[in-house]
Amino acid sequence: MTMTADLSAAVRRSSDLSKHPAEVFAEADKHPVTVTRRDGAALVLMSQREAEGRAHLLDFAAQLITVTLDESGTLAARMAKAFPWMLALSPSDRESCAQDLVDAARASFSTNQPHLALAELTSWKETATAVAAGLGSADLEWLEEDETVERP
């Protein structure tokens, strides 16, 4: 599968870009747009958010490949080498985290949706940060009744 699998869905001619730039830019803000040109190779117009998401996903993929090439220890132990923040998690949470990250990465690549893996990575990292700060051992007090709060 290639990262450009979905890029052909939105194709515009370069003349569309020059005649209707606001329309093409609005479309590119939602998803990548391929701009075809007679005098050269097609260009892809996308938001910076989209480009950064793809770059972060590729970086994450490189780290996962490094983890899979290492043959020593469990998946969770190898992942903790690449992502040291995982050491703040319990051993069972490290196992869950490692599998969740691999599953999310597979989903991201198969659907060309970088946010799936990046959200899972961020969620686990924030959880580890909270546990390291001692928030995981605090007793929670659940409210029995809904309480309406006025707007500040």
Side-chain angles (χ1 to χ4, degrees), residues 49-106:
R49 179 189 74 247
E50 178 82 22
E52 287 173 354
R54 289 168 184 252
H56 289 310
L57 183 60
L58 286 174
D59 182 50
F60 180 51
Q63 290 173 310
L64 284 180
I65 289 169
T66 301
V67 166
T68 59
L69 292 176
D70 184 1
E71 296 177 357
S72 61
T74 65
L75 175 63
R78 296 188 317 254
M79 293 275 287
K81 287 181 190 175
F83 306 105
W85 51 262
M86 285 180 65
L87 296 172
L89 301 171
S90 69
S92 64
D93 282 347
R94 270 184 242 145
E95 293 288 336
S96 296
C97 174
Q99 191 58 56
D100 288 353
L101 291 177
V102 169
D103 292 344
R106 292 178 67 201

Side-chain angles (χ1 to χ4, degrees), residues 4 10 18 28 64 71 82 86 88 100 103 107-108 113 120-121 132 136-137 150-151:
T4 58
S18 61
L64 284 180
E71 296 177 357
M86 285 180 65
D100 288 353
D103 292 344
S108 281
Q113 299 295 316
E120 192 71 28
L121 180 66
S137 61
E150 289 186 34
R151 188 179 180 111

Side-chain angles (χ1 to χ4, degrees), residues 32-46:
V33 175
T34 300
V35 179
T36 59
R37 305 180 306 160
R38 286 185 300 215
D39 61 344
L43 301 173
V44 178
L45 183 63
M46 67 178 71

